[in-house]
Each structure stands twice: as structure tokens, then as C-alpha cells.
Amino acid sequence: MIEIKNLSKRYGNHYAVDDISFTINDGEIVGFLGPNGAGKSTTMNIITGYLSATSGTVSIDGYDILEESTQAKRLIGFLPEQPPLYIDMTVWEYLTFVYELKGCTFNKQKHLDEVCELVKISDVKRRLIRNLSKGYKQRVGIAGALIGNPKMIIFDEPTVGLDPKQIIDIRNLIRNLGKKHTVVLSTHIMQEVQAVCDRIIVINEGKIIADEKTASFNNAVNQNTRYRVKIAGPQKEVVKLIRSMVGIVSCELHGEREGDAFTYDIESAQNIDIRKSLFRALAEKGWPMLGMEPIGMELEDIFLKLINAKGERK
Ligand code: ADP
């Protein structure tokens, strides 16, 4: 269990992390989500003992990360945003180096073989790290984090710079590791936490603005209340009709025209699905609906929504 209490980190007058508290229970896969500059890396570096806090405490299974750092660090594997790989070593040399650095007592050959197998790098273990693709380098970094079989693994932006195939592979790998380890995944990519994590903690400007199970997070942010709809019919009357409908918050012309059809952005009140009533109302008028697609929320919209929701709860 990772317990973080009233953690702050100040640089000059600026709080990179501002009085945050949360607990991560054994077996959880937790996403730590926030835009760039939110304070994610700072938090991860403090949790793993790489950086000291200005105030507050971190304990790992009851061991204070500063006071009992040897015991605490033994329980954590860390993949920093830029893994410190020695690129002139072979994969095997590097993993041996990490094994010795961590003072591991497992059978070396067997343990390293198992780790290589787990992250699927057995076929490149004699290769120089510098000659590996970015995806494979990232796997080597993950292998390093797994040495010593730590109970908890912390990943900081593990898919940055990878191509789509590599991203999927690394996400699958992390999800798999989550079956046996407690996992914290720090990222600015919402889809990443939605794909991998059970619980999502959202951080913005150093403060936690949401801490939810992924399912309820998805409910909060994924309600499709906005649609882009293409309708053939007289533009002004179409807008008038839609705006008069129950549950419609706004209807604006989007501007694309195709023959007698226009595209509109329509927003409904939350929890109201306007699709059927919209279809019927247009059909009654004889104005065919030629297309309808949900307008996805951008991360910025989601942060605003979460910040507003938090304000309302107070
Ligand atoms: P994230 O990982 O979410 O992108 P960081 O934890 O890296 O965010 O940074 C949080 C804030 O702290 C940012 O405003 C960043 O500029 C600032 N910061 C991080 N490290 C330092 C540092 N060593 N000196 C001064 N400011 C820093």
C-alpha cells in the first residue's frame, strides 16, 4: 500500500505539487492523469524516493520513503520518464548491472531470464541497447524496473515517443503486470488510463481534482451530449425546430454545406439522449438526417468539467 499524506513540493514561489493526499491499495492499477506541467513526474519522483518533498509524507507498506528508504525502495520498481539506460551495454549486461545495484538475492540467471521472458526481450538480450528500437528500449527499462520482483511498479509516461503498435504492446504489458503487481501509471493521455487502469486520479496545477473508479470517471466524462449532425432542409427553420426541442442546450450552424444540407453542432442537457426525438422531429418535417457523429471531449474540456464538478460539490 502506498500512502501519501499532505505532500507538497515547492520550487521558488511555485508549488509543483500542492498538498495532495491519496492511498493506493494492494492490487490496484491506478492512473495518474494530468496535462503537462500538472505535477505528475514530481509526484512519481517523490513517491519513489528520487526527489525530496517540501512537506508531507510517503509511506510504502508502512515504510517511510525517506526514513526507511532501503526497505521502502525494495518494494517499488520505477520506470522514469527517461529511463537511465546505458546504451553501450548489451541488454543482458544492463540487467545484470541493475540486478547487482539492487542487491538482488534471487538466482541471477533464472530471475533475469524470467524477466526477459515476461517483457518479451529474450530474443534481443545479447544486443547493444543503442541498436534497439524505442519500443524495445522501453521494454528494457521495464525489465530493469521488474528486477527484484517489486510488489509495486510505477510507470511515468511509458508510451511517449512510441509508435501506435508499440503503444498497444506496452499498454498490454502494463495491464498484464497489473495482475500480479500494484501499478501506478502516470500519463497525460486519457485513453491510456481508460484502457489500462481500474481507478483514475486526476491532477491539475499540483492539486488532485478527481479520484474515481474508471467506470464512474468514464460516466462523468464520456456522456455524449454533443453531436455534429448533417440535415437536409431549410437552415433557419431547422435551427428553430431543434432549439425548441426539450433537452436541447444549443444548436449552432457548423458551416459545412453540401447541396441543401447543412451541418450543425447540437448539445443536449446531460442525461438526455436526444437522438431518437431528433430523428422523429426531423422525419415529421421531411428533413432527412444525413449523418450524426458524437463530438468527443478534449482533455481540456474534461478538466474544466471535473474542476467545475468539484466546485459544485463543495
Ligand atoms: P508533469 O510531469 O505533470 O508534466 P512536472 O511534475 O514535471 O509535471 O512539473 C510540475 C511543475 O513543476 C511544472 O510547472 C514544472 O515547470 C515545475 N518543475 C518541475 N521540476 C522543476 C525544477 N527542477 N525546477 C523548477 N520547476 C520545476
Side-chain angles (χ1 to χ4, degrees):
M1 186 163 91
I2 304 175
E3 264 187 300
I4 285 149
K5 281 197 194 137
N6 305 108
L7 198 70
S8 293
K9 178 73 182 178
R10 197 180 63 216
Y11 291 109
N13 292 328
H14 174 70
Y15 276 89
V17 173
D18 189 359
D19 193 22
I20 64 172
S21 300
F22 57 89
T23 300
I24 292 172
N25 299 307
D26 290 348
E28 280 190 307
I29 310 183
V30 177
F32 203 60
L33 174 70
N36 286 328
K40 302 183 298 295
S41 289
T42 305
T43 307
M44 298 303 117
N45 285 319
I46 295 172
I47 293 179
T48 50
Y50 280 68
L51 192 69
S52 62
T54 305
S55 57
T57 56
V58 174
S59 78
I60 314 288
D61 271 0
Y63 296 113
D64 187 280
I65 193 69
L66 295 179
E67 311 278 322
E68 297 148 301
S69 68
T70 312
Q71 294 97 321
K73 281 185 178 172
R74 196 165 286 153
L75 294 165
I76 314 175
F78 183 34
L79 181 76
E81 198 173 350
Q82 270 137 16
L85 296 176
Y86 293 95
I87 56 172
D88 290 322
M89 288 182 179
T90 65
V91 170
W92 193 262
E93 282 165 353
Y94 173 71
L95 296 180
T96 304
F97 169 75
V98 175
Y99 174 94
E100 271 151 24
L101 200 68
K102 287 191 177 180
C104 258
T105 50
F106 300 129
N107 176 297
K108 186 157 83 182
Q109 179 81 31
K110 186 164 173 278
H111 182 50
L112 297 191
D113 270 334
E114 275 168 5
V115 168
C116 288
E117 199 57 38
L118 196 61
V119 304
K120 300 197 177 78
I121 52 171
S122 302
D123 51 338
V124 298
K125 62 189 180 192
R126 304 286 163 214
R127 299 247 308 259
L128 280 180
I129 294 175
R130 70 158 65 247
N131 295 334
L132 297 178
S133 69
K134 179 100 185 15
Y136 265 88
K137 284 196 183 108
Q138 198 65 331
R139 283 164 192 268
V140 175
I142 295 174
L146 287 173
I147 287 176
N149 199 17
K151 193 170 153 188
M152 304 158 199
I153 313 171
I154 297 180
F155 298 93
D156 194 3
E157 299 279 8
T159 60
V160 162
L162 302 185
D163 69 33
K165 161 90 169 55
Q166 293 167 339
I167 289 176
I168 291 170
D169 288 347
I170 295 292
R171 285 183 189 164
N172 284 340
L173 176 59
I174 294 173
R175 213 182 356 232
N176 250 334
L177 292 173
K179 290 178 189 158
K180 288 201 179 145
H181 301 260
T182 304
V183 168
V184 181
L185 165 64
S186 161
T187 176
H188 67 285
I189 305 164
M190 189 174 65
Q191 289 80 0
E192 189 148 289
V193 288
Q194 287 174 318
V196 176
C197 302
D198 313 323
R199 177 180 150 203
I200 300 177
I201 298 174
V202 183
I203 181 168
N204 190 40
E205 294 180 356
K207 290 195 168 68
I208 290 178
I209 56 169
D211 182 349
E212 314 259 1
K213 293 269 178 219
T214 304
S216 43
F217 175 87
N218 289 348
N219 275 341
V221 302
N222 283 1
Q223 281 166 354
N224 273 327
T225 57
R226 292 199 297 165
Y227 292 94
R228 185 154 295 162
V229 187
K230 188 186 268 187
I231 301 161
Q235 183 215 313
K236 280 194 181 137
E237 286 178 56
V238 168
V239 170
K240 200 168 155 202
L241 170 75
I242 296 174
R243 285 187 181 158
S244 73
M245 287 175 61
V246 174
I248 295 289
V249 173
S250 66
C251 171
E252 303 298 335
L253 186 67
H254 180 62
E256 282 168 27
R257 181 179 184 161
E258 185 191 310
D260 64 343
F262 293 86
T263 309
Y264 306 87
D265 285 350
I266 300 175
E267 183 172 357
S268 65
Q270 263 180 29
N271 306 324
I272 295 186
D273 188 344
I274 44 103
R275 289 174 297 179
K276 286 180 184 165
S277 51
L278 184 62
F279 175 83
R280 284 197 203 99
L282 293 169
E284 243 171 54
K285 292 280 189 183
W287 300 331
M289 192 194 290
L290 305 181
M292 175 183 252
E293 59 183 78
I295 304 174
M297 285 177 90
E298 298 296 324
L299 195 57
E300 288 71 25
D301 297 331
I302 288 159
F303 283 119
L304 277 179
K305 196 165 169 174
L306 289 170
I307 291 164
N308 290 338
K310 196 166 184 198
E312 278 164 19
R313 274 208 294 271
K314 274 181 188 163

